[in-house]
Amino acid sequence: MKPFALAATAVLAAPALLTFAAVVVAVGALIGWEPLWSEPRLNLAEAAALNDRGTIQRLIATGADPNAPAPVRPPILKSQEIVVTPLEAAVGTRTPTTIEFLLARGARMDARERAVLLCLAMKDEAHEIVDFFDKEPSAGHPDCEHVATPW
Amino acid sequence: MSPRPGSDAAAWSAAAYAWSIGVGVGVAYFLIRMPYQISDDLEHILLAQAQSAWDILVTRYAIVESMRPAMWLTQNAVFELVVGGRYFPTFKAVHVAELLATLVLFVRLLRVRTAVDFIALPVALLALVGMHTFSVTLREGYPVNHFMTVLFCCLVVANLADLRPHWWHDVVAVLTCAYALFTIETGVLAWVCLATVYAAGWRGVSMRGVVAATTIVLAYLLLRFAVLDIGTRTLGVTSSGYGFSVRNTGELDALFGDAPWKFYIYNVVCSALTVLFSEPRAGVFQFTQFVGRGSVPPWSVVNVVASTLSTVLIAANVIPRLRRWQHWTFERDDVLLLMFVAVLGANSAISYPYLKEVVMSPAGMFYAIAFFIAVRDLLYRFRGQTSFSSLWVALPLLVLSTAWSLRAVTLVQTLRTSAFVNRNDWAAAEERQDEVRPHWRERHPDAERLVRQLRDEVVNMPVPQPYTMPRWTRAWVDPY
């Protein structure tokens, strides 16, 4: 190979490959093949665990129950599948944003659920969530020794 | 330095345009799929819904620290163009049209006429879209992407000046400069392009046109600073990067309160450096910090290596031209390089109050033009070589093209990530509006319905889940 051909190949190879891939992706989209823009089907608990408020909004709008426990596939929360409510799953995000979002959309938090969430948050050292619950100091902290948590 | 193009010049030129469209279509695919950010976007749509074009012009032609009447009118015009409630598709169509037009005009300015020109083009296009300043620009949408508008206007003006003189070039160039200037502050760079290329000898726009555009710029400055006293952002108005972190307004005030000019100089210098070396980023010396900690993520190495090598190549190309420039003699490539230098200087100067990467996107675009010239000229030198001792140059070229390709991939990933973040924000659109603008529902009887429609449209758009991205790829993707 001549030096010029080598230099030309060096300059062109990666950009050519990438541009070809870009065109393939765009053309693929026209026939419904979108490997770089696919979204896995999630249930409400999985969406809550992944802080995916867009999916939560869509599922609730189409009739999903924000209080129904559902299986969360590994490795979203744990290395094995676990069944939790969306609120419990939301503790996995370590921030109260999704919990607040769910509460504003019909999720119920009775005393038992509150205790479970708080104990999960303390176990996971999710300080922001603990602080969120501490905004209501009258409720206090449960005795987590006697609270059954999903993990 | 370019040899005379042969009879196949038209074919290479057509291939170059086709290539740019290919890149544009690829980027546009991700752009179309990405929901816009909610901040600014929703508020501007609601304003367009609540006010007529005249009301918007009267109430918003000048607000605190900005004078952008063309921005508001453009948004309103696009909003009025919407048919059947298809808001996002309409705004996206404008956005994609701007992107494709920008890429085509970019290629036109490069004047690809030979195989060697063509070989240098793809890496230059990737330098354009892979540059961090472009990445943040592409993601913007208010919901019209005004930073992209400025890129487009700069290229329109430069391309007009590159044509044979004609009276309508003057008219279009003056109108373009005025439109860019009254759209967003960096729009003044369209005038900088025009003045630079005229000074360097391009006569596609006449002296009359340049004088008219200059008069408009002066009138703008007079109106803004002397008549309306709008001013610009100053120290303490917004947070900004300094040293190794982003400082809030209080910290900046404590550091520079009695000598703001020191901070302004820092910003001007850092603005130029970020284009030339990808360091610092928005005023923060990120790569240096990583090195100090002894842990540099690969994406940061890729950014700095790509930019530094490219800048060295550009500098090596410019230095031999300086003697000619001193005699005020310019070949076509000289004019393009001068335009890069002028835009880089002016763009950095405009950035004096605070550092924001999106603001530097015009300089980033002209950097890619300078990079094209440097790579192409290097390839021309290679063409005559038969000695394999010069092969050592091929290796840096390979590193460069691979690094810019990786940066272009980063653009795609940032669009994917932004899509998820933006959709999350839209899911809570009403809560957000209630918090930020409590009386938004009273603006228009249909405001609530519009917000819900837009929200539902966004949450029904599929977006990639960040958790599906393999962990190893994160080290290679610039998260900023």
Side-chain angles (χ1 to χ4, degrees):
Chain A
M1 190 183 265
K2 289 180 179 174
F4 174 72
L6 194 65
T9 307
V11 172
L12 205 51
L17 199 65
L18 191 60
T19 308
F20 177 71
V23 173
V24 168
V25 163
V27 173
L30 296 176
I31 55 169
W33 180 70
E34 299 187 89
L36 294 179
W37 207 275
S38 57
E39 183 172 15
R41 288 178 73 89
L42 302 173
N43 61 41
L44 205 48
E46 288 172 330
L50 292 166
N51 199 13
D52 184 350
R53 298 192 293 279
T55 299
I56 294 172
Q57 175 69 31
R58 188 176 68 238
L59 291 174
I60 291 177
T62 52
D65 179 0
N67 297 296
V72 175
R73 287 166 289 180
I76 294 175
L77 274 177
K78 295 289 158 187
S79 55
Q80 74 283 3
E81 182 175 293
I82 53 171
V83 177
V84 287
T85 65
L87 280 175
E88 290 162 359
V91 175
T93 66
R94 309 182 66 80
T95 76
T97 316
T98 305
I99 293 175
E100 288 180 287
F101 190 79
L102 284 162
L103 290 172
R105 279 156 183 76
R108 287 188 309 274
M109 188 170 62
D110 55 19
R112 190 202 68 81
E113 182 76 337
R114 183 183 182 281
V116 171
L117 297 181
L118 192 48
C119 290
L120 277 176
M122 289 197 290
K123 191 188 281 185
D124 281 4
E125 296 181 357
H127 302 298
E128 285 185 43
I129 296 177
V130 174
D131 292 345
F132 168 72
F133 284 113
D134 283 347
K135 283 180 188 165
E136 199 188 341
S138 58
H141 279 202
D143 177 5
C144 292
E145 290 285 315
H146 300 98
V147 176
T149 57
W151 72 81
Chain B
M1 291 206 185
S2 317
R4 195 179 297 273
S7 58
D8 49 359
W12 289 118
S13 181
Y17 286 119
W19 195 289
S20 71
I21 295 291
V23 171
V25 165
V27 174
Y29 162 72
F30 295 100
L31 180 61
I32 290 167
R33 299 296 250 149
M34 180 199 75
Y36 281 130
Q37 83 273 19
I38 193 168
S39 62
D40 292 332
D41 185 13
L42 178 58
E43 172 62 4
H44 291 190
I45 290 176
L46 288 174
L47 281 172
Q49 180 197 36
Q51 293 185 297
S52 67
W54 178 251
D55 289 340
I56 285 184
L57 189 63
V58 169
T59 57
R60 310 192 74 83
Y61 71 95
I63 52 177
V64 182
E65 296 151 3
S66 74
M67 189 167 82
R68 303 171 178 174
M71 177 184 96
W72 295 107
L73 289 177
T74 305
Q75 285 173 175
N76 191 264
V78 179
F79 183 86
E80 296 298 336
L81 275 176
V82 171
V83 177
R86 296 171 64 81
Y87 296 99
F88 286 125
T90 308
F91 285 114
K92 279 286 161 71
V94 173
H95 199 156
V96 169
E98 274 191 325
L99 169 70
L100 294 178
T102 299
L103 289 173
V104 167
L105 289 177
F106 175 86
V107 168
R108 197 214 156 271
L109 213 49
L110 301 182
R111 202 180 271 182
V112 174
R113 296 288 185 274
T114 68
V116 177
D117 296 347
F118 182 75
I119 291 167
L121 176 72
V123 71
L125 280 170
L126 292 191
L128 170 67
V129 301
M131 176 71 92
H132 55 289
T133 54
F134 188 86
S135 169
V136 284
T137 298
L138 191 71
R139 278 178 275 159
E140 294 280 353
Y142 291 146
V144 176
N145 190 321
H146 302 293
F147 290 104
M148 188 72 80
T149 303
V150 171
L151 300 186
F152 174 69
C153 289
C154 287
L155 290 172
V156 166
V157 167
N159 275 287
L160 285 170
D162 187 32
L163 296 170
R164 290 206 180 100
H166 202 283
W167 66 267
W168 70 264
H169 298 167
D170 294 4
V171 175
V172 177
V174 171
L175 290 176
T176 304
C177 284
Y179 178 70
L181 185 60
F182 285 95
T183 292
I184 203 159
E185 286 73 7
T186 46
V188 74
L189 295 172
W191 172 80
V192 171
C193 291
L194 184 64
T196 305
V197 296
Y198 186 85
W202 284 10
R203 291 292 181 265
V205 176
S206 73
M207 173 61 114
R208 274 180 310 183
V210 177
V211 169
T214 307
T215 307
I216 288 173
V217 172
L218 292 174
Y220 169 91
L221 295 174
L222 192 71
L223 184 66
R224 177 170 180 149
F225 294 101
V227 179
L228 299 172
D229 194 21
I230 293 167
T232 60
R233 287 192 174 183
T234 50
L235 180 70
V237 173
T238 184
S239 57
S240 188
Y242 176 72
F244 295 112
S245 62
V246 174
R247 311 297 178 111
N248 62 36
T249 52
E251 289 173 313
L252 289 174
D253 204 40
L255 282 166
F256 299 103
D258 41 3
W261 60 271
K262 290 180 185 170
F263 180 60
Y264 299 154
I265 289 175
Y266 175 85
N267 289 342
V268 171
V269 172
C270 287
S271 296
L273 291 178
T274 197
V275 173
L276 298 173
F277 303 103
S278 293
E279 171 77 350
R281 295 289 300 274
V284 177
F285 281 84
Q286 201 178 56
F287 178 77
T288 314
Q289 197 172 29
F290 290 142
V291 171
R293 287 177 186 162
S295 166
V296 189
W299 61 261
S300 187
V301 176
V302 168
N303 286 355
V304 172
V305 167
S307 289
T308 306
L309 270 180
S310 304
T311 300
V312 168
L313 199 58
I314 292 168
N317 189 276
V318 166
I319 288 167
R321 298 169 187 266
L322 292 177
R323 188 179 292 274
R324 192 164 63 231
W325 294 6
Q326 282 170 349
H327 296 98
W328 212 254
T329 308
F330 304 104
E331 292 181 354
R332 189 172 187 283
D333 288 347
D334 295 331
V335 179
L336 293 174
L337 290 167
L338 266 181
M339 194 154 48
F340 161 58
V341 173
V343 170
L344 178 67
N347 207 167
S348 303
I350 292 170
S351 301
Y352 79 91
Y354 63 102
L355 287 161
K356 212 173 161 190
E357 290 181 338
V358 69
V359 175
M360 291 305 293
S361 54
M365 179 176 71
F366 284 99
Y367 179 87
I369 289 176
F371 179 54
F372 167 81
I373 294 169
V375 171
R376 189 206 53 200
D377 286 355
L378 191 66
L379 287 172
Y380 272 125
R381 278 196 197 138
F382 249 92
R383 204 167 59 157
Q385 302 255 357
T386 50
S387 161
F388 278 78
S389 61
S390 53
L391 283 181
W392 61 270
V393 181
L395 188 64
L397 284 176
L398 181 67
V399 171
L400 262 180
S401 68
T402 307
W404 281 114
S405 301
L406 282 169
R407 292 184 74 171
V409 170
T410 287
L411 168 72
V412 168
Q413 185 51 34
T414 54
L415 291 173
R416 284 163 48 93
T417 309
S418 298
F420 181 78
V421 172
N422 294 348
R423 191 177 74 169
N424 265 1
D425 291 342
W426 273 99
E430 284 187 78
E431 288 103 312
R432 189 182 180 284
Q433 280 298 100
D434 289 338
E435 190 183 325
V436 181
R437 295 176 186 86
H439 303 294
W440 66 275
R441 286 183 173 83
E442 295 155 22
R443 276 199 198 142
H444 191 276
D446 221 16
E448 197 169 76
R449 186 204 58 76
L450 178 59
V451 171
R452 287 181 181 166
Q453 180 196 323
L454 294 172
R455 179 201 63 198
D456 292 345
E457 207 174 308
V458 171
V459 298
N460 283 306
M461 290 170 80
V463 300
Q465 263 287 343
Y467 99 98
T468 59
M469 185 181 163
R471 274 187 185 279
W472 67 267
T473 60
R474 290 178 196 173
W476 292 90
V477 174
D478 182 349
Y480 299 98

